[in-house]
Amino acid sequence: MPDTDPLTFAAEWHADGRDVAIATVIETWSSAPRPAGSHLVIDAQGNFQGSVSGGCIEEALVAEASDVIASGKARIAEFTVTDDTAQNAGLFCGGRIRVLIEKLG
């Protein structure tokens, strides 16, 4: 079975000369689909592997990663879902996730 660790993709893409950013969950509060330490790797063309939220915020992180790749400056992105918003979406409770996005290399 092939290795599906997102960091393996990051290393391969970087070795192929692609610009790559790594998004890492650094903190969660309350309801969060993925634990701290989860990774999403994104290249400059918007290709990505991995997951930091079960699909909820990956699209926003691809856009953030594009800026990080262009500038070379890491940033922290924070996403919050209030309890009211969560309940309207059929979830039990809201939560918060903080993600560090940094360029590889």
Side-chain angles (χ1 to χ4, degrees):
M1 183 171 174
D3 188 352
T4 57
D5 181 350
L7 296 180
T8 299
F9 285 96
E12 290 172 359
W13 292 353
H14 186 67
D16 288 342
R18 293 158 76 174
D19 288 325
V20 177
I22 300 174
T24 306
V25 176
I26 58 172
E27 181 183 29
T28 63
W29 177 82
S30 194
S31 178
R34 304 280 295 147
S38 296
H39 296 104
L40 177 71
V41 297
I42 306 107
D43 74 5
Q45 289 73 43
N47 300 302
F48 62 92
Q49 290 289 330
S51 176
V52 295
S53 72
C56 302
I57 62 168
E58 273 74 0
E59 186 175 325
L61 287 172
V62 169
E64 293 270 354
S66 177
D67 292 342
V68 168
I69 289 170
S71 72
K73 295 180 182 177
R75 67 175 63 165
I76 294 175
E78 185 172 313
F79 301 89
T80 302
V81 175
T82 66
D83 285 344
D84 289 339
T85 301
Q87 289 173 357
N88 289 338
L91 304 171
F92 290 110
C93 62
R96 182 181 74 212
I97 180 172
R98 293 181 74 212
V99 181
L100 173 64
I101 309 159
E102 53 195 337
K103 184 175 180 181
L104 179 61

